[in-house]
Amino acid sequence: MTELNAEHARRTIVDHTRRLAESAAAAGPDAVVPTAPGWTVTDLVEHVGRTQHWVAEIVERRITDPAQLPTEMAAVPADAGRWQAWLTESAQRAASACSDAALDAPVFNAAWDGRSGTRFWLSSLLNEAVVHGFDAARAADAEAARVADAGDAGDAGDAGDAGDAGDAARQADRPTDIDADVAAALIGNHLAMLTSPTWRLQRPESAHAIRGTGQTLQWLATDIAGDAGAWLVERRPDGVAWQPRSLRADVTVTGPARSLLLVLTRRLPLTDHHATGITVDGDADLARHWLDHTAHVSG
């Protein structure tokens, strides 16, 4: 599995957490998160900040026994005006915990997939910051559209507020791009999780649903060269296997790495070519079945 250089991953965690905080401020604490049904922006901020502090403690203490994992979670500030500082602190703490000195130290790996614990957590933190950063940006966009719609139906004062909200949301939306190499690393991490022993234990219904009789799915990135941008999935009777390889498959999903990541994590629809730049060749129902049965819990 291709992984980012650790320093690049650490910088990206901090950068995308900053973007998330800016989008959260633009959206407001009670705004809904369209790409994480049932969540508000408060839920999103709380989840990301707490996870970063929790992982940082695991790595800092070099915890190897899952029975010793932290049980207390960091408290999110009640004042939304303090969120940005709190998220900056949590991201920097997590990135610092996953230092070069910690990369191969004995640390619990929740996926049990052969990676060192710190490398597993670094990838998980990266996924949290990038994917949930996208969630926060979509929440800011949706809130700006809602306020703008209310302004159109209301008086000029409301319309002025809508303009301010729209400006804030556009500012938050500008830096939501996900670099192709970051997206590619997260696709590999996503597939590693879906094929890990932990997934089979914790999500047996998903693991059962994505087994098959040899059906193959190919995910191809148009902006990553060679096998680093190719993910071949095979649905076997005993479970799913994947490898970084380009090969003819029952269905091939092709597009920018960013779009592939967001489709795989159910943030963008598979069939909206205009939004994603993705094309589907072959058995589209096979791709839809995969997506329908590989959702992570809690958005």
Side-chain angles (χ1 to χ4, degrees), residues 127-170:
N127 184 76
E128 291 283 325
V130 170
V131 175
H132 286 316
F134 179 84
D135 290 335
R138 294 291 73 76
D141 290 346
E143 181 63 12
R146 185 193 67 78
V147 174
D149 287 344
D152 289 342
D155 59 26
D158 290 337
D161 291 342
D164 292 343
D167 288 343
R170 283 189 291 274

mmCIF file of all heavy atoms in Angstrom, residues 127-170:
data_model
loop_
_atom_site.group_PDB
_atom_site.id
_atom_site.type_symbol
_atom_site.label_atom_id
_atom_site.label_comp_id
_atom_site.label_asym_id
_atom_site.label_seq_id
_atom_site.Cartn_x
_atom_site.Cartn_y
_atom_site.Cartn_z
ATOM 1 N N ASN A 127 -7.093 10.623 7.270
ATOM 2 C CA ASN A 127 -8.428 10.400 6.731
ATOM 3 C C ASN A 127 -9.460 11.273 7.451
ATOM 4 O O ASN A 127 -10.332 11.875 6.814
ATOM 5 C CB ASN A 127 -8.797 8.930 6.863
ATOM 6 C CG ASN A 127 -10.131 8.612 6.232
ATOM 7 O OD1 ASN A 127 -10.254 8.519 5.015
ATOM 8 N ND2 ASN A 127 -11.152 8.452 7.056
ATOM 9 N N GLU A 128 -9.371 11.326 8.773
ATOM 10 C CA GLU A 128 -10.310 12.135 9.547
ATOM 11 C C GLU A 128 -10.267 13.598 9.114
ATOM 12 O O GLU A 128 -11.311 14.229 8.891
ATOM 13 C CB GLU A 128 -9.967 12.039 11.041
ATOM 14 C CG GLU A 128 -10.216 10.692 11.666
ATOM 15 C CD GLU A 128 -11.693 10.451 11.950
ATOM 16 O OE1 GLU A 128 -12.414 11.405 12.301
ATOM 17 O OE2 GLU A 128 -12.128 9.298 11.819
ATOM 18 N N ALA A 129 -9.061 14.153 9.002
ATOM 19 C CA ALA A 129 -8.931 15.575 8.682
ATOM 20 C C ALA A 129 -9.402 15.880 7.265
ATOM 21 O O ALA A 129 -10.085 16.877 7.019
ATOM 22 C CB ALA A 129 -7.485 16.024 8.870
ATOM 23 N N VAL A 130 -9.048 15.019 6.316
ATOM 24 C CA VAL A 130 -9.358 15.292 4.912
ATOM 25 C C VAL A 130 -10.838 15.058 4.614
ATOM 26 O O VAL A 130 -11.515 15.932 4.055
ATOM 27 C CB VAL A 130 -8.468 14.429 3.996
ATOM 28 C CG1 VAL A 130 -8.934 14.513 2.547
ATOM 29 C CG2 VAL A 130 -7.015 14.888 4.100
ATOM 30 N N VAL A 131 -11.361 13.899 4.965
ATOM 31 C CA VAL A 131 -12.750 13.583 4.626
ATOM 32 C C VAL A 131 -13.716 14.440 5.439
ATOM 33 O O VAL A 131 -14.682 14.992 4.901
ATOM 34 C CB VAL A 131 -13.028 12.081 4.824
ATOM 35 C CG1 VAL A 131 -14.510 11.778 4.581
ATOM 36 C CG2 VAL A 131 -12.168 11.261 3.861
ATOM 37 N N HIS A 132 -13.466 14.598 6.725
ATOM 38 C CA HIS A 132 -14.359 15.438 7.519
ATOM 39 C C HIS A 132 -14.153 16.927 7.209
ATOM 40 O O HIS A 132 -15.071 17.734 7.412
ATOM 41 C CB HIS A 132 -14.177 15.155 9.004
ATOM 42 C CG HIS A 132 -14.779 13.852 9.432
ATOM 43 N ND1 HIS A 132 -16.025 13.431 9.022
ATOM 44 C CD2 HIS A 132 -14.297 12.852 10.240
ATOM 45 C CE1 HIS A 132 -16.300 12.256 9.544
ATOM 46 N NE2 HIS A 132 -15.269 11.874 10.279
ATOM 47 N N GLY A 133 -12.979 17.290 6.709
ATOM 48 C CA GLY A 133 -12.811 18.656 6.219
ATOM 49 C C GLY A 133 -13.722 18.920 5.033
ATOM 50 O O GLY A 133 -14.303 20.008 4.901
ATOM 51 N N PHE A 134 -13.853 17.931 4.161
ATOM 52 C CA PHE A 134 -14.800 18.042 3.048
ATOM 53 C C PHE A 134 -16.225 18.174 3.589
ATOM 54 O O PHE A 134 -17.023 18.985 3.097
ATOM 55 C CB PHE A 134 -14.674 16.827 2.139
ATOM 56 C CG PHE A 134 -15.617 16.827 0.974
ATOM 57 C CD1 PHE A 134 -15.310 17.497 -0.194
ATOM 58 C CD2 PHE A 134 -16.829 16.152 1.059
ATOM 59 C CE1 PHE A 134 -16.191 17.509 -1.264
ATOM 60 C CE2 PHE A 134 -17.712 16.152 -0.010
ATOM 61 C CZ PHE A 134 -17.395 16.837 -1.178
ATOM 62 N N ASP A 135 -16.558 17.370 4.619
ATOM 63 C CA ASP A 135 -17.888 17.468 5.231
ATOM 64 C C ASP A 135 -18.168 18.884 5.726
ATOM 65 O O ASP A 135 -19.264 19.430 5.527
ATOM 66 C CB ASP A 135 -17.990 16.508 6.416
ATOM 67 C CG ASP A 135 -18.014 15.038 6.014
ATOM 68 O OD1 ASP A 135 -18.420 14.740 4.878
ATOM 69 O OD2 ASP A 135 -17.619 14.198 6.854
ATOM 70 N N ALA A 136 -17.194 19.467 6.398
ATOM 71 C CA ALA A 136 -17.390 20.807 6.954
ATOM 72 C C ALA A 136 -17.587 21.841 5.849
ATOM 73 O O ALA A 136 -18.413 22.755 5.971
ATOM 74 C CB ALA A 136 -16.193 21.190 7.831
ATOM 75 N N ALA A 137 -16.842 21.704 4.765
ATOM 76 C CA ALA A 137 -16.994 22.639 3.650
ATOM 77 C C ALA A 137 -18.378 22.529 3.028
ATOM 78 O O ALA A 137 -19.002 23.526 2.658
ATOM 79 C CB ALA A 137 -15.912 22.381 2.599
ATOM 80 N N ARG A 138 -18.875 21.288 2.896
ATOM 81 C CA ARG A 138 -20.217 21.116 2.335
ATOM 82 C C ARG A 138 -21.275 21.696 3.279
ATOM 83 O O ARG A 138 -22.294 22.229 2.838
ATOM 84 C CB ARG A 138 -20.499 19.635 2.083
ATOM 85 C CG ARG A 138 -19.651 18.993 1.017
ATOM 86 C CD ARG A 138 -19.949 19.473 -0.398
ATOM 87 N NE ARG A 138 -19.472 20.814 -0.692
ATOM 88 C CZ ARG A 138 -18.201 21.119 -0.925
ATOM 89 N NH1 ARG A 138 -17.283 20.186 -0.899
ATOM 90 N NH2 ARG A 138 -17.863 22.361 -1.184
ATOM 91 N N ALA A 139 -21.046 21.585 4.583
ATOM 92 C CA ALA A 139 -21.974 22.175 5.548
ATOM 93 C C ALA A 139 -21.995 23.689 5.405
ATOM 94 O O ALA A 139 -23.063 24.318 5.466
ATOM 95 C CB ALA A 139 -21.582 21.770 6.969
ATOM 96 N N ALA A 140 -20.822 24.289 5.215
ATOM 97 C CA ALA A 140 -20.764 25.738 5.029
ATOM 98 C C ALA A 140 -21.486 26.150 3.757
ATOM 99 O O ALA A 140 -22.225 27.152 3.730
ATOM 100 C CB ALA A 140 -19.300 26.198 4.987
ATOM 101 N N ASP A 141 -21.299 25.407 2.690
ATOM 102 C CA ASP A 141 -21.994 25.706 1.434
ATOM 103 C C ASP A 141 -23.508 25.607 1.616
ATOM 104 O O ASP A 141 -24.267 26.452 1.141
ATOM 105 C CB ASP A 141 -21.562 24.720 0.343
ATOM 106 C CG ASP A 141 -20.129 24.942 -0.117
ATOM 107 O OD1 ASP A 141 -19.561 26.006 0.198
ATOM 108 O OD2 ASP A 141 -19.578 24.041 -0.778
ATOM 109 N N ALA A 142 -23.954 24.527 2.260
ATOM 110 C CA ALA A 142 -25.388 24.316 2.434
ATOM 111 C C ALA A 142 -26.004 25.401 3.301
ATOM 112 O O ALA A 142 -27.114 25.879 3.030
ATOM 113 C CB ALA A 142 -25.643 22.936 3.048
ATOM 114 N N GLU A 143 -25.299 25.812 4.348
ATOM 115 C CA GLU A 143 -25.822 26.848 5.226
ATOM 116 C C GLU A 143 -25.892 28.190 4.491
ATOM 117 O O GLU A 143 -26.858 28.943 4.634
ATOM 118 C CB GLU A 143 -24.957 26.964 6.479
ATOM 119 C CG GLU A 143 -25.417 28.006 7.477
ATOM 120 C CD GLU A 143 -26.798 27.712 8.071
ATOM 121 O OE1 GLU A 143 -27.306 26.592 7.894
ATOM 122 O OE2 GLU A 143 -27.350 28.622 8.724
ATOM 123 N N ALA A 144 -24.879 28.484 3.678
ATOM 124 C CA ALA A 144 -24.908 29.719 2.911
ATOM 125 C C ALA A 144 -26.079 29.724 1.937
ATOM 126 O O ALA A 144 -26.756 30.739 1.759
ATOM 127 C CB ALA A 144 -23.600 29.896 2.156
ATOM 128 N N ALA A 145 -26.327 28.566 1.301
ATOM 129 C CA ALA A 145 -27.456 28.481 0.366
ATOM 130 C C ALA A 145 -28.782 28.646 1.107
ATOM 131 O O ALA A 145 -29.705 29.309 0.604
ATOM 132 C CB ALA A 145 -27.419 27.140 -0.357
ATOM 133 N N ARG A 146 -28.878 28.058 2.301
ATOM 134 C CA ARG A 146 -30.112 28.181 3.080
ATOM 135 C C ARG A 146 -30.388 29.627 3.452
ATOM 136 O O ARG A 146 -31.513 30.119 3.316
ATOM 137 C CB ARG A 146 -30.019 27.322 4.344
ATOM 138 C CG ARG A 146 -31.303 27.276 5.170
ATOM 139 C CD ARG A 146 -31.081 26.677 6.549
ATOM 140 N NE ARG A 146 -30.246 27.528 7.393
ATOM 141 C CZ ARG A 146 -30.692 28.616 8.015
ATOM 142 N NH1 ARG A 146 -31.975 28.982 7.902
ATOM 143 N NH2 ARG A 146 -29.893 29.337 8.774
ATOM 144 N N VAL A 147 -29.349 30.315 3.919
ATOM 145 C CA VAL A 147 -29.515 31.703 4.320
ATOM 146 C C VAL A 147 -29.832 32.575 3.106
ATOM 147 O O VAL A 147 -30.655 33.492 3.178
ATOM 148 C CB VAL A 147 -28.257 32.209 5.053
ATOM 149 C CG1 VAL A 147 -28.351 33.691 5.356
ATOM 150 C CG2 VAL A 147 -28.050 31.422 6.345
ATOM 151 N N ALA A 148 -29.187 32.272 1.988
ATOM 152 C CA ALA A 148 -29.461 33.034 0.776
ATOM 153 C C ALA A 148 -30.904 32.847 0.326
ATOM 154 O O ALA A 148 -31.572 33.803 -0.080
ATOM 155 C CB ALA A 148 -28.511 32.606 -0.336
ATOM 156 N N ASP A 149 -31.404 31.614 0.414
ATOM 157 C CA ASP A 149 -32.802 31.357 0.054
ATOM 158 C C ASP A 149 -33.746 32.115 0.974
ATOM 159 O O ASP A 149 -34.765 32.673 0.532
ATOM 160 C CB ASP A 149 -33.104 29.865 0.130
ATOM 161 C CG ASP A 149 -32.469 29.085 -1.011
ATOM 162 O OD1 ASP A 149 -32.062 29.719 -2.001
ATOM 163 O OD2 ASP A 149 -32.362 27.840 -0.890
ATOM 164 N N ALA A 150 -33.404 32.137 2.266
ATOM 165 C CA ALA A 150 -34.235 32.878 3.207
ATOM 166 C C ALA A 150 -34.187 34.372 2.897
ATOM 167 O O ALA A 150 -35.187 35.073 3.019
ATOM 168 C CB ALA A 150 -33.761 32.612 4.636
ATOM 169 N N GLY A 151 -33.020 34.849 2.476
ATOM 170 C CA GLY A 151 -32.889 36.255 2.126
ATOM 171 C C GLY A 151 -33.719 36.624 0.920
ATOM 172 O O GLY A 151 -34.325 37.696 0.858
ATOM 173 N N ASP A 152 -33.765 35.730 -0.060
ATOM 174 C CA ASP A 152 -34.570 35.989 -1.259
ATOM 175 C C ASP A 152 -36.044 36.123 -0.907
ATOM 176 O O ASP A 152 -36.782 36.870 -1.550
ATOM 177 C CB ASP A 152 -34.398 34.852 -2.269
ATOM 178 C CG ASP A 152 -33.024 34.863 -2.912
ATOM 179 O OD1 ASP A 152 -32.355 35.916 -2.846
ATOM 180 O OD2 ASP A 152 -32.615 33.814 -3.453
ATOM 181 N N ALA A 153 -36.491 35.370 0.121
ATOM 182 C CA ALA A 153 -37.897 35.395 0.490
ATOM 183 C C ALA A 153 -38.199 36.450 1.547
ATOM 184 O O ALA A 153 -39.354 36.699 1.875
ATOM 185 C CB ALA A 153 -38.322 34.020 1.005
ATOM 186 N N GLY A 154 -37.150 37.054 2.101
ATOM 187 C CA GLY A 154 -37.346 37.997 3.193
ATOM 188 C C GLY A 154 -37.038 39.430 2.794
ATOM 189 O O GLY A 154 -37.133 39.807 1.631
ATOM 190 N N ASP A 155 -36.639 40.213 3.776
ATOM 191 C CA ASP A 155 -36.392 41.621 3.504
ATOM 192 C C ASP A 155 -34.945 41.857 3.147
ATOM 193 O O ASP A 155 -34.103 40.953 3.135
ATOM 194 C CB ASP A 155 -36.811 42.482 4.703
ATOM 195 C CG ASP A 155 -36.058 42.116 5.976
ATOM 196 O OD1 ASP A 155 -34.923 41.602 5.891
ATOM 197 O OD2 ASP A 155 -36.611 42.346 7.066
ATOM 198 N N ALA A 156 -34.597 43.100 2.854
ATOM 199 C CA ALA A 156 -33.252 43.424 2.386
ATOM 200 C C ALA A 156 -32.221 43.178 3.462
ATOM 201 O O ALA A 156 -31.075 42.825 3.178
ATOM 202 C CB ALA A 156 -33.202 44.878 1.919
ATOM 203 N N GLY A 157 -32.612 43.352 4.737
ATOM 204 C CA GLY A 157 -31.650 43.098 5.807
ATOM 205 C C GLY A 157 -31.234 41.650 5.850
ATOM 206 O O GLY A 157 -30.060 41.325 6.013
ATOM 207 N N ASP A 158 -32.198 40.748 5.676
ATOM 208 C CA ASP A 158 -31.862 39.332 5.633
ATOM 209 C C ASP A 158 -30.977 39.014 4.448
ATOM 210 O O ASP A 158 -30.069 38.199 4.522
ATOM 211 C CB ASP A 158 -33.134 38.478 5.553
ATOM 212 C CG ASP A 158 -33.912 38.507 6.856
ATOM 213 O OD1 ASP A 158 -33.289 38.787 7.883
ATOM 214 O OD2 ASP A 158 -35.134 38.270 6.818
ATOM 215 N N ALA A 159 -31.250 39.673 3.319
ATOM 216 C CA ALA A 159 -30.441 39.439 2.127
ATOM 217 C C ALA A 159 -29.000 39.853 2.357
ATOM 218 O O ALA A 159 -28.067 39.215 1.887
ATOM 219 C CB ALA A 159 -31.030 40.186 0.935
ATOM 220 N N GLY A 160 -28.818 40.922 3.130
ATOM 221 C CA GLY A 160 -27.453 41.337 3.435
ATOM 222 C C GLY A 160 -26.741 40.304 4.274
ATOM 223 O O GLY A 160 -25.576 39.988 4.046
ATOM 224 N N ASP A 161 -27.463 39.736 5.249
ATOM 225 C CA ASP A 161 -26.874 38.661 6.054
ATOM 226 C C ASP A 161 -26.520 37.470 5.190
ATOM 227 O O ASP A 161 -25.492 36.821 5.373
ATOM 228 C CB ASP A 161 -27.860 38.218 7.142
ATOM 229 C CG ASP A 161 -28.065 39.280 8.202
ATOM 230 O OD1 ASP A 161 -27.210 40.183 8.281
ATOM 231 O OD2 ASP A 161 -29.077 39.214 8.922
ATOM 232 N N ALA A 162 -27.396 37.196 4.206
ATOM 233 C CA ALA A 162 -27.133 36.070 3.315
ATOM 234 C C ALA A 162 -25.868 36.292 2.517
ATOM 235 O O ALA A 162 -25.081 35.371 2.297
ATOM 236 C CB ALA A 162 -28.317 35.862 2.370
ATOM 237 N N GLY A 163 -25.662 37.537 2.099
ATOM 238 C CA GLY A 163 -24.445 37.826 1.347
ATOM 239 C C GLY A 163 -23.202 37.614 2.180
ATOM 240 O O GLY A 163 -22.209 37.059 1.709
ATOM 241 N N ASP A 164 -23.274 38.047 3.468
ATOM 242 C CA ASP A 164 -22.131 37.827 4.352
ATOM 243 C C ASP A 164 -21.860 36.341 4.537
ATOM 244 O O ASP A 164 -20.712 35.893 4.507
ATOM 245 C CB ASP A 164 -22.397 38.469 5.721
ATOM 246 C CG ASP A 164 -22.423 39.993 5.637
ATOM 247 O OD1 ASP A 164 -21.917 40.526 4.622
ATOM 248 O OD2 ASP A 164 -22.970 40.623 6.561
ATOM 249 N N ALA A 165 -22.935 35.568 4.733
ATOM 250 C CA ALA A 165 -22.765 34.128 4.918
ATOM 251 C C ALA A 165 -22.215 33.489 3.658
ATOM 252 O O ALA A 165 -21.364 32.599 3.712
ATOM 253 C CB ALA A 165 -24.100 33.487 5.303
ATOM 254 N N GLY A 166 -22.711 33.945 2.502
ATOM 255 C CA GLY A 166 -22.226 33.384 1.242
ATOM 256 C C GLY A 166 -20.757 33.664 1.034
ATOM 257 O O GLY A 166 -19.999 32.795 0.594
ATOM 258 N N ASP A 167 -20.318 34.898 1.388
ATOM 259 C CA ASP A 167 -18.894 35.226 1.259
ATOM 260 C C ASP A 167 -18.062 34.325 2.155
ATOM 261 O O ASP A 167 -17.005 33.825 1.754
ATOM 262 C CB ASP A 167 -18.664 36.692 1.633
ATOM 263 C CG ASP A 167 -19.195 37.649 0.576
ATOM 264 O OD1 ASP A 167 -19.446 37.192 -0.566
ATOM 265 O OD2 ASP A 167 -19.374 38.838 0.890
ATOM 266 N N ALA A 168 -18.515 34.121 3.395
ATOM 267 C CA ALA A 168 -17.767 33.273 4.324
ATOM 268 C C ALA A 168 -17.673 31.855 3.808
ATOM 269 O O ALA A 168 -16.622 31.218 3.875
ATOM 270 C CB ALA A 168 -18.436 33.295 5.701
ATOM 271 N N ALA A 169 -18.793 31.364 3.273
ATOM 272 C CA ALA A 169 -18.785 29.985 2.781
ATOM 273 C C ALA A 169 -17.880 29.842 1.572
ATOM 274 O O ALA A 169 -17.176 28.845 1.432
ATOM 275 C CB ALA A 169 -20.204 29.554 2.427
ATOM 276 N N ARG A 170 -17.887 30.831 0.687
ATOM 277 C CA ARG A 170 -17.010 30.742 -0.488
ATOM 278 C C ARG A 170 -15.548 30.777 -0.069
ATOM 279 O O ARG A 170 -14.700 30.088 -0.636
ATOM 280 C CB ARG A 170 -17.332 31.868 -1.472
ATOM 281 C CG ARG A 170 -18.597 31.620 -2.288
ATOM 282 C CD ARG A 170 -18.737 32.647 -3.391
ATOM 283 N NE ARG A 170 -19.023 33.969 -2.860
ATOM 284 C CZ ARG A 170 -20.254 34.393 -2.572
ATOM 285 N NH1 ARG A 170 -21.289 33.602 -2.766
ATOM 286 N NH2 ARG A 170 -20.457 35.599 -2.095
#
